[in-house]
Structure formats: C-alpha cells, structure tokens
C-alpha cells in the first residue's frame, strides 16, 4: 500500500476549484457569444454598432499612429519572437527547447481560432472605416487572441525567472500590453468589440484548461489530493511523467 505524502504548508486550505470555475464560465460565455453570432449570420450586435460608431466619432488622428504601433506588435513576427523569448526564460536550462515550446504554444492557439473564425465567417466593419490594413474574418480577433496568448506565456516566464520588487509590475505588464492590442483593433475600426471579447475568452480557455491540470497535479504532489489505489496504470503514468507540463517549474 502506497503511503500518502504529507501536505505542504497551506496546501489543503488552498482553493483548488476557482480555475475550473473560471474555465467553465469562459466556456459558457464563449459558447453563448458564438451561438449568437452564428444565429445573426455574422451581423454585428447592437452594442457592436454603438461602440464602433462612437469610436469613429471620437478617434483623433494623433492617436491613430500610437494605436497602429501597438497593434502591429500583437501578431506575426513580433508576437512569435515574444513567445519564443517567454519560452526561453521559462525553461532556462534548455533555452532553445523553451523557445521552440513557446512558438508551438502560440501555434496551438491559432488552430482553434482559425477553425472558429472560418466556421463563423463573420465580416469585419466596412473597410473604408479602417485606419490600418486587415485581412481575414472578424471573430475571434486574431491579434487579440495572439497577444493574449503571448501575454500568458510572458507572465509564466516572469513568474519563473523574476524575484524581488520588480516582479509584481512585470507580471502586470503583459496583460496591459495584450489589453492595449485588443482595444487597438476596435479603435482602428477593424473589429467589432465582441470580436475582441471572443479572442480573450478563447485564450482564457486555452490557458485555463492546462492551468487547471497543473494546479491539481501540484496539489496531488503536496498531498492535498491523495491518489487512489485503484487508479489505472495509464492514468498514473500520464500523471507522474517527469516530462509533463508541471516539470517546467524545475
């Protein structure tokens, strides 16, 4: 009979259900948003039109350049460079493997985004109202999804590598940047607001599902979640693999 390891300090009292609840809420919101967009045949919602009209009426020319400078960092080469940097920082002992993992992680969020966008085939706002170039379908916003995923990877890298007073502001910086990228898509007139919301929700699911697994696995390691004797061999082998995602903590 296998003995159960002693729980770490505060492990038992630490809440474990909140990441699962977050994933559930985000999945329900995304499903409702996608279903509504599908039922409307891709037409913008009332709130989309109201916000879009307000932006066009309150968009100073001097701010357009700044918005463009922000939005171009949220996709393409800059986004993949940041993702690879985040992976290299997270896996400090194997930086090249970490950089590759960062790039592959970013690819993994693009696949469901492209599939969902192609299925919905939602049109963007009229092209004559854009302040910058764009292509592809509207929902979910590609720049929003990509930048939010990169922000998750950067946050993991900062959490892994940085200590001291600089840690807290550095942990907040990726989220602020990703938020600015998403809002710039609306400001530049190339996306409806709900396109951006869909991108954020999709990324929350992409990050939340493995995040929930990691938290539960960590609790199991500290003894907060005891293992079952009748657990199947396959399940045990997957759970206890040293190369699993939980091993990034080194």
């Amino acid at each position: 009979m296998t003995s159960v390891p002693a729980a770490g300090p505060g492990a038992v009292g630490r809440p474990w259900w909140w990441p699962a609840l977050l994933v559930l809420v985000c999945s329900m919101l995304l499903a409702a948003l996608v279903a509504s967009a599908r039922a409307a045949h891709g037409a913008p919602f009332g709130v989309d039109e109201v916000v879009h009209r307000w932006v066009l009426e309150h968009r100073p020319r001097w701010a357009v350049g700044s918005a463009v400078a922000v939005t171009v960092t949220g996709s393409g080469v800059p986004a993949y460079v940041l993702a690879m940097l985040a992976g290299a920082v997270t896996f400090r002992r194997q930086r090249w493997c970490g950089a590759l993992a960062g790039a592959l992680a970013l690819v993994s969020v693009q696949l469901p985004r492209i599939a969902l966008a192609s299925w919905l085939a939602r049109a963007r706002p009229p092209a004559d109202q854009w302040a910058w170039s764009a292509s592809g379908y509207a929902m979910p916003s590609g720049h929003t999804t990509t930048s939010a995923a990169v922000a998750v990877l950067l946050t993991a890298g900062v959490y892994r590598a940085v200590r001291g007073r600089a840690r807290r502001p550095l942990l907040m910086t990726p989220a602020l940047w990703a938020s600015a990228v998403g809002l710039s898509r609306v400001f530049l007139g190339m996306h409806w607001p709900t396109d951006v919301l869909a991108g954020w929700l999709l990324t929350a699911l992409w990050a939340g599902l493995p995040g929930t697994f990691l938290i539960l696995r960590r609790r199991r390691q500290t003894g907060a979640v005891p293992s079952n004797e009748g657990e199947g061999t396959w399940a045990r082998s997957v759970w206890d693999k040293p190369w699993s995602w939980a091993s990034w903590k080194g």
Side-chain angles (χ1 to χ4, degrees):
M1 181 175 179
T2 305
S3 61
V4 178
V12 176
R14 194 172 299 159
W16 60 268
W17 47 264
W18 67 265
L21 179 61
L22 178 63
V23 169
L24 178 62
V25 171
C26 289
S27 63
M28 293 175 64
L29 290 175
L30 181 61
L33 186 58
V34 168
S36 299
R38 183 71 173 179
H41 303 287
F45 305 125
V47 64
D48 288 323
E49 295 178 324
V50 169
V51 173
H52 181 73
R53 191 181 309 115
W54 186 92
V55 167
L56 294 180
E57 294 172 354
H58 300 81
R59 186 171 64 185
R61 292 185 177 181
W62 60 264
V64 170
S66 299
V68 170
V70 170
T71 208
V72 296
T73 64
S75 186
V77 174
Y80 277 91
V81 169
L82 289 173
M84 294 174 70
L85 175 63
V89 170
T90 302
F91 297 88
R92 289 179 296 178
R93 297 179 182 177
Q94 296 178 313
R95 294 191 184 277
W96 286 110
C97 292
L100 178 60
L104 292 176
L106 196 53
V107 169
S108 72
V109 78
Q110 301 300 334
L111 299 179
R113 180 194 66 80
I114 293 172
L116 185 57
S118 301
W119 181 66
L120 286 174
R122 192 187 205 192
R124 295 173 181 268
D128 59 354
Q129 298 172 352
W130 301 352
W132 191 245
S133 59
S135 61
Y137 294 120
M139 180 184 280
S141 165
H143 280 69
T144 300
T145 306
T146 301
S147 61
V150 172
V152 171
L153 298 175
L154 288 172
T155 301
V158 171
Y159 184 84
R160 178 74 170 88
V162 179
R163 296 292 183 270
R165 294 183 178 180
R167 192 186 202 193
R168 181 170 295 181
L170 286 177
L171 283 173
M172 296 173 58
T173 301
L176 294 175
W177 164 72
S179 299
V181 171
L183 294 176
S184 73
R185 307 304 289 171
V186 178
F187 182 80
L188 295 172
M190 297 178 291
H191 275 288
W192 305 110
T194 50
D195 300 336
V196 173
L197 177 59
W200 284 334
L201 291 173
L202 178 61
T203 307
L205 286 179
W206 170 81
L209 289 173
T212 301
F213 172 80
L214 291 180
I215 290 174
L216 290 175
R217 186 180 190 277
R218 183 63 176 170
R219 285 174 56 83
R220 184 178 187 274
Q221 288 179 330
T222 59
V225 179
S227 59
N228 296 324
E229 280 189 73
E231 202 174 26
T233 304
W234 178 86
R236 276 201 309 273
S237 65
V238 171
W239 193 267
D240 296 327
K241 287 288 186 183
W243 43 259
S244 67
W245 280 106
S247 65
W248 71 274
K249 285 183 173 290

